[in-house]
Amino acid sequence: TRLAAGGYKGIVKTWKVSPTGGLKDGTPFAGHSESVTTLAVSADGRFALSGSRDKTVKYWQFDTGKEFASFEGFDREVKAVWISPDGTQAKATD
């Protein structure tokens, strides 16, 4: 019912998908200072992780676009993020 895509301006854009496939703009996630390179959404659709060329990972609430946490300290751009099926674990790599 929802779609998300990371952009080169550091924003994750979201849409609500109707049963017929129509798209309606959702809440964007703004917080990265460089391109979004990877994105994962939790199995229940409530949360998302995004990684960026700015060497950070952001943890978001999908419906509101609220940033819950930012993780720094990566040596390079973040290449992959993952959320476990039960939502209790997350991983990221550069």
Side-chain angles (χ1 to χ4, degrees):
T1 61
R2 293 183 239 171
L3 175 66
Y8 72 94
K9 292 184 178 181
I11 296 172
V12 176
K13 185 161 171 74
T14 68
W15 297 268
K16 295 176 183 176
V17 182
S18 74
T20 61
L23 299 176
K24 181 178 179 184
D25 283 343
T27 303
F29 310 161
H32 288 292
S33 61
E34 294 187 39
S35 300
V36 175
T37 54
T38 185
L39 181 65
V41 178
S42 63
D44 63 8
R46 295 176 52 212
F47 303 99
L49 282 177
S50 60
S52 172
R53 286 194 176 158
D54 66 8
K55 304 175 187 175
T56 66
V57 170
K58 307 278 187 184
Y59 178 53
W60 310 93
Q61 183 175 5
F62 201 101
D63 286 343
T64 65
K66 178 182 177 184
E67 181 183 317
F68 282 120
S70 181
F71 304 94
E72 300 174 359
F74 294 92
D75 291 331
R76 296 177 189 88
E77 72 180 61
V78 180
K79 299 278 190 179
V81 292
W82 173 83
I83 303 172
S84 65
D86 64 4
T88 61
Q89 297 179 42
K91 296 180 182 180
T93 186
D94 58 3

Coordinates of all heavy atoms in Angstrom, one line a residue:
T1 N 0.8 -1.2 0.0 CA 0.0 0.0 0.0 C 0.8 1.3 0.0 O 0.3 2.3 -0.1 CB -0.9 0.0 1.2 OG1 -0.2 0.0 2.4 CG2 -1.9 -1.1 1.2
R2 N 2.2 1.1 0.2 CA 3.1 2.3 0.2 C 4.3 2.0 -0.7 O 4.7 0.9 -0.8 CB 3.5 2.6 1.6 CG 2.3 3.1 2.4 CD 2.8 3.5 3.8 NE 2.0 2.6 4.7 CZ 2.3 2.6 6.0 NH1 3.3 3.3 6.5 NH2 1.6 1.8 6.7
L3 N 4.9 3.1 -1.2 CA 6.1 3.0 -2.0 C 7.0 4.0 -1.5 O 6.6 5.1 -1.1 CB 5.7 3.3 -3.5 CG 6.8 3.3 -4.5 CD1 7.4 2.0 -4.7 CD2 6.2 3.8 -5.8
A4 N 8.3 3.7 -1.5 CA 9.4 4.7 -1.1 C 10.5 4.6 -2.1 O 10.9 3.5 -2.6 CB 9.8 4.4 0.3
A5 N 11.2 5.7 -2.3 CA 12.4 5.8 -3.2 C 13.3 6.8 -2.7 O 12.9 7.9 -2.3 CB 12.0 6.1 -4.6
G6 N 14.6 6.5 -2.7 CA 15.6 7.5 -2.2 C 16.1 8.3 -3.4 O 16.2 7.9 -4.5
G7 N 16.4 9.6 -3.1 CA 16.8 10.5 -4.1 C 18.2 11.0 -4.0 O 18.8 10.9 -2.9
Y8 N 18.7 11.6 -5.1 CA 20.0 12.2 -5.1 C 20.2 13.4 -4.2 O 21.2 13.8 -3.8 CB 20.5 12.4 -6.5 CG 19.8 13.6 -7.2 CD1 20.4 14.9 -7.2 CD2 18.6 13.5 -7.8 CE1 19.9 16.0 -7.8 CE2 18.0 14.5 -8.5 CZ 18.7 15.8 -8.4 OH 18.1 16.8 -9.1
K9 N 19.1 14.1 -3.8 CA 19.1 15.2 -3.0 C 19.1 14.9 -1.5 O 19.0 15.8 -0.7 CB 17.9 16.2 -3.3 CG 18.1 16.8 -4.7 CD 16.9 17.8 -4.9 CE 17.1 18.5 -6.3 NZ 16.0 19.4 -6.5
G10 N 19.1 13.6 -1.2 CA 19.1 13.2 0.2 C 17.8 13.0 0.8 O 17.6 13.0 2.1
I11 N 16.7 13.0 0.0 CA 15.3 12.9 0.5 C 14.8 11.5 0.1 O 15.0 11.1 -1.0 CB 14.5 14.0 -0.1 CG1 15.0 15.4 0.4 CG2 13.0 13.8 0.2 CD1 14.3 16.6 -0.2
V12 N 14.0 10.9 1.0 CA 13.3 9.7 0.6 C 11.9 10.1 0.4 O 11.2 10.7 1.2 CB 13.3 8.7 1.8 CG1 12.4 7.5 1.5 CG2 14.7 8.2 2.1
K13 N 11.4 9.9 -0.8 CA 10.0 10.3 -1.2 C 9.1 9.1 -1.0 O 9.5 8.0 -1.3 CB 10.0 10.8 -2.7 CG 8.7 11.3 -3.1 CD 8.8 12.1 -4.4 CE 7.5 12.5 -5.0 NZ 6.8 13.5 -4.3
T14 N 7.9 9.3 -0.6 CA 7.0 8.3 -0.3 C 5.7 8.5 -1.1 O 5.3 9.7 -1.3 CB 6.7 8.0 1.2 OG1 6.0 9.2 1.7 CG2 8.0 7.8 2.0
W15 N 4.9 7.5 -1.4 CA 3.6 7.5 -2.0 C 2.7 6.5 -1.3 O 3.1 5.5 -0.9 CB 3.7 7.2 -3.5 CG 4.5 8.1 -4.3 CD1 4.1 9.2 -5.0 CD2 5.9 8.0 -4.6 NE1 5.1 9.8 -5.6 CE2 6.2 9.1 -5.4 CE3 6.9 7.1 -4.2 CZ2 7.5 9.3 -5.9 CZ3 8.2 7.3 -4.7 CH2 8.5 8.4 -5.5
K16 N 1.4 6.8 -1.3 CA 0.4 5.9 -0.9 C -0.1 5.3 -2.2 O -0.4 6.0 -3.2 CB -0.7 6.5 -0.2 CG -0.3 7.1 1.2 CD -1.4 7.8 1.9 CE -0.9 8.4 3.1 NZ -1.8 9.3 3.8
V17 N -0.2 3.9 -2.3 CA -0.6 3.2 -3.5 C -2.1 2.8 -3.3 O -2.4 2.1 -2.4 CB 0.3 2.0 -3.8 CG1 -0.1 1.3 -5.1 CG2 1.7 2.5 -3.9
S18 N -3.0 3.2 -4.2 CA -4.4 2.8 -4.1 C -4.5 1.3 -4.7 O -3.6 0.8 -5.3 CB -5.2 3.7 -5.0 OG -5.1 3.4 -6.4
P19 N -5.6 0.7 -4.4 CA -5.9 -0.7 -4.9 C -5.8 -0.8 -6.4 O -5.5 -1.8 -6.9 CB -7.3 -1.0 -4.3 CG -7.4 -0.2 -3.1 CD -6.7 1.1 -3.4
T20 N -6.1 0.3 -7.1 CA -6.0 0.3 -8.5 C -4.7 0.7 -9.1 O -4.5 0.8 -10.3 CB -7.1 1.3 -9.1 OG1 -6.8 2.6 -8.6 CG2 -8.5 0.9 -8.7
G21 N -3.7 1.0 -8.2 CA -2.3 1.3 -8.6 C -2.0 2.8 -8.7 O -0.9 3.2 -9.0
G22 N -3.0 3.6 -8.4 CA -2.8 5.0 -8.4 C -1.8 5.5 -7.3 O -1.8 4.8 -6.2
L23 N -1.1 6.6 -7.5 CA -0.2 7.0 -6.5 C -0.6 8.4 -5.9 O -1.0 9.3 -6.7 CB 1.2 7.2 -7.0 CG 1.9 5.9 -7.6 CD1 3.2 6.3 -8.2 CD2 2.1 4.9 -6.4
K24 N -0.5 8.5 -4.6 CA -0.8 9.8 -3.9 C 0.4 10.1 -3.1 O 0.9 9.3 -2.4 CB -2.0 9.7 -3.0 CG -2.4 11.0 -2.3 CD -3.7 10.8 -1.5 CE -4.0 12.1 -0.8 NZ -5.2 11.9 0.1
D25 N 0.9 11.4 -3.2 CA 2.1 11.8 -2.4 C 1.9 11.5 -0.9 O 0.9 11.8 -0.4 CB 2.4 13.3 -2.6 CG 3.0 13.6 -3.9 OD1 3.5 12.6 -4.6 OD2 3.0 14.8 -4.3
G26 N 3.0 11.0 -0.4 CA 3.1 10.8 1.1 C 4.0 11.7 1.7 O 4.4 12.7 1.1
T27 N 4.4 11.4 2.9 CA 5.4 12.3 3.7 C 6.8 12.0 3.3 O 7.2 10.8 3.3 CB 5.2 12.0 5.2 OG1 3.8 12.3 5.5 CG2 6.1 12.9 6.0
P28 N 7.6 13.0 2.9 CA 9.0 12.8 2.5 C 9.8 12.7 3.8 O 9.4 13.2 4.8 CB 9.4 14.0 1.7 CG 8.4 15.1 2.2 CD 7.2 14.4 2.6
F29 N 10.9 11.9 3.7 CA 11.9 11.9 4.8 C 13.1 12.7 4.4 O 13.8 12.4 3.5 CB 12.4 10.5 5.0 CG 11.4 9.3 5.1 CD1 11.8 8.0 5.0 CD2 10.1 9.6 5.4 CE1 10.9 7.0 5.1 CE2 9.1 8.6 5.5 CZ 9.5 7.3 5.3
A30 N 13.3 13.8 5.1 CA 14.4 14.7 4.7 C 15.4 14.8 5.9 O 15.0 15.0 7.0 CB 13.9 16.1 4.5
G31 N 16.6 14.5 5.6 CA 17.6 14.5 6.7 C 19.0 14.2 6.2 O 20.0 14.6 6.9
H32 N 19.2 13.6 5.1 CA 20.5 13.3 4.6 C 21.0 14.5 3.8 O 20.3 15.2 3.2 CB 20.5 12.1 3.6 CG 20.3 10.8 4.3 ND1 21.2 10.2 5.2 CD2 19.2 9.9 4.3 CE1 20.7 9.0 5.6 NE2 19.5 8.8 5.1
S33 N 22.4 14.7 3.9 CA 23.0 15.8 3.2 C 23.5 15.5 1.8 O 23.9 16.3 1.1 CB 24.1 16.4 4.0 OG 25.1 15.5 4.2
E34 N 23.5 14.2 1.5 CA 23.9 13.7 0.2 C 22.9 12.6 -0.3 O 22.0 12.2 0.4 CB 25.3 13.2 0.2 CG 26.3 14.3 0.5 CD 27.8 13.8 0.4 OE1 28.0 13.0 -0.5 OE2 28.6 14.2 1.2
S35 N 23.2 12.0 -1.5 CA 22.3 11.0 -2.1 C 22.0 9.9 -1.2 O 22.8 9.4 -0.4 CB 23.0 10.5 -3.3 OG 23.2 11.5 -4.3
V36 N 20.7 9.4 -1.2 CA 20.3 8.2 -0.5 C 20.7 7.0 -1.4 O 20.4 7.0 -2.6 CB 18.8 8.2 -0.3 CG1 18.3 6.9 0.3 CG2 18.3 9.3 0.5
T37 N 21.5 6.1 -0.8 CA 22.1 5.0 -1.6 C 21.4 3.7 -1.3 O 21.5 2.7 -2.1 CB 23.6 4.8 -1.2 OG1 23.7 4.7 0.2 CG2 24.3 6.0 -1.8
T38 N 20.6 3.6 -0.2 CA 20.0 2.3 0.1 C 18.8 2.6 1.1 O 18.8 3.6 1.8 CB 21.0 1.3 0.8 OG1 20.3 0.1 1.0 CG2 21.5 1.9 2.1
L39 N 17.8 1.7 1.0 CA 16.6 1.9 1.8 C 16.0 0.5 2.1 O 16.0 -0.4 1.3 CB 15.6 2.7 0.9 CG 14.2 3.1 1.4 CD1 14.4 4.0 2.6 CD2 13.4 3.7 0.3
A40 N 15.5 0.4 3.3 CA 14.7 -0.8 3.8 C 13.5 -0.4 4.6 O 13.6 0.6 5.3 CB 15.6 -1.7 4.6
V41 N 12.4 -1.1 4.4 CA 11.2 -0.9 5.1 C 10.9 -2.1 6.0 O 11.0 -3.2 5.5 CB 10.0 -0.6 4.2 CG1 8.7 -0.3 4.9 CG2 10.4 0.7 3.3
S42 N 10.5 -1.9 7.2 CA 10.1 -3.0 8.1 C 9.0 -3.8 7.5 O 8.1 -3.3 6.8 CB 9.8 -2.5 9.5 OG 8.6 -1.6 9.5
A43 N 8.9 -5.1 7.9 CA 7.8 -6.0 7.4 C 6.4 -5.4 7.7 O 5.5 -5.6 6.9 CB 8.0 -7.4 8.0
D44 N 6.2 -4.8 8.8 CA 4.9 -4.2 9.2 C 4.7 -2.9 8.5 O 3.6 -2.3 8.6 CB 4.7 -4.1 10.7 CG 5.7 -3.2 11.4 OD1 6.4 -2.5 10.7 OD2 5.7 -3.2 12.6
G45 N 5.7 -2.3 7.8 CA 5.5 -1.1 7.1 C 5.5 0.2 7.9 O 5.2 1.3 7.5
R46 N 5.9 0.0 9.2 CA 5.8 1.2 10.1 C 7.1 2.0 10.1 O 7.1 3.2 10.5 CB 5.5 0.7 11.5 CG 4.1 0.1 11.6 CD 3.8 -0.4 13.0 NE 4.1 0.6 14.0 CZ 4.5 0.2 15.3 NH1 4.6 -1.0 15.6 NH2 4.7 1.2 16.1
F47 N 8.2 1.4 9.8 CA 9.5 2.0 10.0 C 10.4 1.8 8.7 O 10.2 0.9 8.0 CB 10.3 1.5 11.2 CG 9.5 1.7 12.5 CD1 8.8 0.6 13.0 CD2 9.4 2.9 13.1 CE1 8.0 0.8 14.1 CE2 8.7 3.0 14.3 CZ 8.0 2.0 14.8
A48 N 11.4 2.7 8.6 CA 12.3 2.6 7.4 C 13.7 3.0 7.9 O 13.9 3.8 8.8 CB 11.9 3.5 6.3
L49 N 14.7 2.4 7.2 CA 16.1 2.8 7.4 C 16.6 3.3 6.0 O 16.2 2.7 5.0 CB 17.0 1.6 7.7 CG 17.0 1.0 9.1 CD1 17.8 -0.2 9.2 CD2 17.5 2.1 10.1
S50 N 17.4 4.4 6.1 CA 18.0 4.8 4.8 C 19.4 5.1 5.1 O 19.9 5.5 6.1 CB 17.3 6.1 4.4 OG 17.4 7.1 5.3
G51 N 20.2 4.7 4.1 CA 21.7 5.0 4.1 C 22.0 5.9 3.0 O 21.3 6.1 2.0
S52 N 23.2 6.6 3.2 CA 23.5 7.7 2.3 C 25.0 7.9 2.0 O 25.8 7.3 2.7 CB 23.0 9.0 2.9 OG 23.4 10.2 2.2
R53 N 25.3 8.6 1.0 CA 26.7 9.0 0.7 C 27.2 9.9 1.8 O 28.4 10.1 1.8 CB 26.8 9.7 -0.7 CG 26.6 8.8 -1.8 CD 27.0 9.4 -3.1 NE 26.9 8.3 -4.1 CZ 26.8 8.6 -5.4 NH1 26.8 9.8 -5.9 NH2 26.7 7.6 -6.2
D54 N 26.4 10.5 2.6 CA 26.9 11.3 3.7 C 27.4 10.5 4.9 O 27.7 11.0 5.9 CB 25.8 12.3 4.2 CG 24.6 11.7 4.8 OD1 24.6 10.4 5.1 OD2 23.6 12.4 5.1
K55 N 27.5 9.1 4.7 CA 28.1 8.2 5.7 C 27.2 8.1 6.9 O 27.7 7.9 8.0 CB 29.5 8.6 6.0 CG 30.4 8.7 4.8 CD 31.8 9.2 5.2 CE 32.6 9.5 4.0 NZ 33.9 10.1 4.4
T56 N 25.9 8.2 6.8 CA 25.0 8.1 7.9 C 23.8 7.1 7.5 O 23.5 6.9 6.4 CB 24.3 9.4 8.3 OG1 23.5 9.9 7.3 CG2 25.4 10.4 8.7
V57 N 23.2 6.6 8.6 CA 22.0 5.8 8.5 C 20.9 6.5 9.3 O 21.2 6.9 10.4 CB 22.2 4.3 9.0 CG1 20.9 3.6 9.1 CG2 23.1 3.6 8.1
K58 N 19.7 6.6 8.8 CA 18.6 7.3 9.5 C 17.5 6.3 9.7 O 17.3 5.4 8.8 CB 18.1 8.5 8.7 CG 19.1 9.5 8.2 CD 19.4 10.5 9.3 CE 20.3 11.6 8.7 NZ 20.7 12.5 9.8
Y59 N 16.9 6.4 10.8 CA 15.8 5.5 11.2 C 14.5 6.3 11.3 O 14.5 7.3 12.0 CB 16.1 4.8 12.6 CG 15.0 3.9 13.1 CD1 14.5 2.9 12.4 CD2 14.6 4.1 14.5 CE1 13.6 2.1 13.0 CE2 13.7 3.3 15.0 CZ 13.1 2.3 14.3 OH 12.2 1.4 14.8
W60 N 13.5 6.0 10.5 CA 12.3 6.8 10.3 C 11.0 6.1 10.7 O 10.9 4.9 10.5 CB 12.2 7.2 8.8 CG 13.4 7.7 8.2 CD1 14.3 7.0 7.5 CD2 13.8 9.1 8.1 NE1 15.3 7.9 6.9 CE2 14.9 9.2 7.3 CE3 13.2 10.3 8.6 CZ2 15.6 10.3 7.1 CZ3 13.9 11.5 8.3 CH2 15.1 11.5 7.5
Q61 N 10.0 6.9 11.1 CA 8.7 6.4 11.2 C 8.0 6.7 9.8 O 8.0 7.8 9.3 CB 7.9 7.1 12.2 CG 6.5 6.6 12.4 CD 5.7 7.2 13.5 OE1 6.2 8.1 14.2 NE2 4.5 6.7 13.8
F62 N 7.6 5.6 9.1 CA 7.1 5.7 7.7 C 6.0 6.7 7.6 O 6.0 7.5 6.6 CB 6.8 4.3 7.2 CG 6.8 4.3 5.7 CD1 7.9 3.7 5.0 CD2 5.7 4.8 4.9 CE1 7.9 3.7 3.7 CE2 5.8 4.7 3.6 CZ 6.9 4.2 2.9
D63 N 4.9 6.6 8.4 CA 3.7 7.4 8.2 C 4.0 8.9 8.4 O 3.4 9.7 7.6 CB 2.6 7.0 9.2 CG 2.0 5.7 8.8 OD1 2.1 5.3 7.6 OD2 1.3 5.1 9.6
T64 N 4.9 9.3 9.3 CA 5.0 10.7 9.6 C 6.3 11.3 9.1 O 6.5 12.5 9.0 CB 5.1 10.9 11.1 OG1 6.2 10.3 11.7 CG2 3.8 10.4 11.8
G65 N 7.3 10.5 8.7 CA 8.6 11.0 8.2 C 9.5 11.4 9.4 O 10.5 12.0 9.2
K66 N 9.0 11.2 10.6 CA 9.8 11.6 11.8 C 11.1 10.7 11.9 O 11.1 9.5 11.8 CB 9.0 11.4 13.1 CG 9.7 11.7 14.3 CD 8.9 11.5 15.6 CE 9.7 11.8 16.8 NZ 9.0 11.5 18.0
E67 N 12.2 11.4 12.1 CA 13.5 10.7 12.3 C 13.7 10.4 13.7 O 13.7 11.2 14.6 CB 14.6 11.7 11.8 CG 16.0 11.0 12.0 CD 17.1 12.0 11.6 OE1 17.0 12.7 10.6 OE2 18.1 12.0 12.3
F68 N 13.8 9.1 14.0 CA 14.0 8.6 15.4 C 15.4 8.6 15.8 O 15.8 8.8 16.9 CB 13.4 7.2 15.6 CG 11.9 7.1 15.7 CD1 11.2 6.4 14.8 CD2 11.3 7.8 16.7 CE1 9.8 6.4 14.9 CE2 9.9 7.8 16.8 CZ 9.2 7.1 15.9
A69 N 16.3 8.3 14.8 CA 17.7 8.2 15.2 C 18.6 8.3 13.9 O 18.1 8.1 12.8 CB 18.0 6.8 15.8
S70 N 19.8 8.8 14.2 CA 20.8 8.9 13.1 C 22.1 8.2 13.6 O 22.5 8.4 14.7 CB 21.1 10.4 12.8 OG 22.0 10.5 11.7
F71 N 22.7 7.4 12.7 CA 23.9 6.6 13.1 C 25.0 7.1 12.2 O 24.9 7.0 11.0 CB 23.6 5.1 12.9 CG 22.4 4.6 13.7 CD1 21.2 4.6 13.1 CD2 22.6 4.3 15.1 CE1 20.1 4.1 13.9 CE2 21.5 3.9 15.8 CZ 20.2 3.8 15.2
E72 N 26.1 7.5 12.8 CA 27.2 8.0 12.1 C 28.4 7.1 12.3 O 28.3 6.1 13.0 CB 27.5 9.4 12.6 CG 26.4 10.4 12.4 CD 26.6 11.8 13.0 OE1 27.7 12.0 13.6 OE2 25.7 12.6 12.8
G73 N 29.6 7.5 11.7 CA 30.8 6.8 12.0 C 31.2 5.8 10.9 O 32.1 5.0 11.0
F74 N 30.4 5.8 9.8 CA 30.8 4.9 8.7 C 32.0 5.6 7.9 O 32.1 6.8 7.8 CB 29.6 4.7 7.7 CG 28.5 3.9 8.3 CD1 27.5 4.6 9.0 CD2 28.5 2.6 8.3 CE1 26.4 3.9 9.6 CE2 27.5 1.8 8.9 CZ 26.4 2.5 9.5
D75 N 32.9 4.8 7.4 CA 34.0 5.3 6.7 C 33.7 5.7 5.3 O 34.4 6.5 4.7 CB 35.2 4.2 6.6 CG 35.8 4.0 8.0 OD1 35.7 4.9 8.9 OD2 36.2 2.9 8.3
R76 N 32.7 5.1 4.7 CA 32.3 5.4 3.3 C 30.8 5.5 3.2 O 30.1 5.3 4.2 CB 32.8 4.3 2.4 CG 34.3 4.1 2.3 CD 34.7 2.9 1.5 NE 36.1 2.6 1.6 CZ 36.6 1.8 2.5 NH1 35.9 1.2 3.4 NH2 37.9 1.6 2.5
E77 N 30.3 5.8 2.0 CA 28.9 5.8 1.8 C 28.3 4.5 2.2 O 28.9 3.4 2.1 CB 28.5 6.1 0.4 CG 28.8 5.0 -0.6 CD 28.4 5.3 -2.0 OE1 29.0 6.3 -2.6 OE2 27.5 4.7 -2.6
V78 N 27.1 4.5 2.8 CA 26.4 3.3 3.2 C 25.9 2.6 2.0 O 25.2 3.2 1.1 CB 25.3 3.7 4.2 CG1 24.5 2.4 4.7 CG2 25.8 4.5 5.4
K79 N 26.2 1.3 1.9 CA 25.9 0.5 0.7 C 24.6 -0.3 0.9 O 23.9 -0.6 -0.1 CB 27.0 -0.4 0.3 CG 28.3 0.2 0.0 CD 28.3 0.7 -1.4 CE 29.7 1.2 -1.8 NZ 29.8 1.6 -3.1
A80 N 24.3 -0.7 2.1 CA 23.2 -1.6 2.3 C 22.6 -1.4 3.8 O 23.4 -1.2 4.7 CB 23.5 -3.1 2.1
V81 N 21.3 -1.5 3.9 CA 20.6 -1.5 5.2 C 19.6 -2.7 5.2 O 19.2 -3.1 4.2 CB 19.9 -0.2 5.6 CG1 20.9 0.9 5.8 CG2 18.9 0.2 4.5
W82 N 19.4 -3.2 6.4 CA 18.5 -4.3 6.5 C 17.7 -4.2 7.9 O 18.3 -3.8 8.9 CB 19.3 -5.6 6.5 CG 18.6 -6.9 6.8 CD1 17.8 -7.6 5.9 CD2 18.6 -7.6 8.0 NE1 17.4 -8.7 6.6 CE2 17.8 -8.8 7.9 CE3 19.1 -7.4 9.3 CZ2 17.5 -9.7 8.9 CZ3 18.9 -8.3 10.3 CH2 18.1 -9.4 10.1
I83 N 16.5 -4.6 7.9 CA 15.6 -4.7 9.1 C 15.1 -6.1 9.2 O 14.6 -6.7 8.2 CB 14.4 -3.8 9.1 CG1 14.9 -2.3 8.9 CG2 13.6 -3.9 10.3 CD1 13.8 -1.3 8.6
S84 N 15.3 -6.8 10.3 CA 14.9 -8.2 10.5 C 13.3 -8.3 10.3 O 12.6 -7.3 10.6 CB 15.3 -8.7 11.9 OG 14.6 -8.0 12.9
P85 N 12.8 -9.4 9.9 CA 11.4 -9.6 9.7 C 10.5 -9.2 11.0 O 9.4 -8.7 10.8 CB 11.2 -11.1 9.4 CG 12.5 -11.4 8.7 CD 13.6 -10.6 9.5
D86 N 11.1 -9.5 12.2 CA 10.3 -9.1 13.4 C 10.6 -7.7 13.9 O 10.0 -7.3 14.9 CB 10.6 -10.1 14.5 CG 12.0 -10.1 15.0 OD1 12.8 -9.3 14.5 OD2 12.3 -11.0 15.9
G87 N 11.5 -7.0 13.2 CA 11.7 -5.6 13.5 C 12.6 -5.3 14.7 O 12.7 -4.2 15.1
T88 N 13.2 -6.4 15.2 CA 14.0 -6.2 16.5 C 15.5 -5.9 16.2 O 16.2 -5.6 17.1 CB 13.9 -7.4 17.4 OG1 14.4 -8.5 16.7 CG2 12.4 -7.6 17.8
Q89 N 15.9 -6.1 14.9 CA 17.3 -5.9 14.6 C 17.4 -5.1 13.3 O 16.6 -5.2 12.4 CB 18.0 -7.2 14.5 CG 18.0 -8.1 15.7 CD 18.7 -9.4 15.5 OE1 19.8 -9.4 14.8 NE2 18.2 -10.5 16.0
A90 N 18.5 -4.4 13.2 CA 18.8 -3.7 11.9 C 20.3 -3.8 11.7 O 21.1 -3.9 12.7 CB 18.4 -2.3 12.0
K91 N 20.7 -3.8 10.4 CA 22.2 -3.8 10.1 C 22.4 -2.8 9.0 O 21.5 -2.6 8.2 CB 22.6 -5.2 9.6 CG 22.5 -6.3 10.7 CD 22.9 -7.6 10.2 CE 22.7 -8.6 11.4 NZ 23.1 -10.0 10.9
A92 N 23.6 -2.3 8.9 CA 24.1 -1.4 7.8 C 25.5 -1.7 7.6 O 26.3 -2.1 8.5 CB 23.8 0.0 8.2
T93 N 25.9 -1.5 6.3 CA 27.3 -1.6 6.0 C 27.7 -0.6 5.0 O 26.9 -0.1 4.2 CB 27.6 -3.0 5.4 OG1 29.0 -3.2 5.2 CG2 26.9 -3.3 4.1
D94 N 29.0 -0.2 5.1 CA 29.6 0.7 4.1 C 30.5 -0.1 3.2 O 31.1 0.4 2.3 CB 30.3 1.9 4.8 CG 31.4 1.5 5.7 OD1 31.7 0.3 5.8 OD2 32.0 2.4 6.3

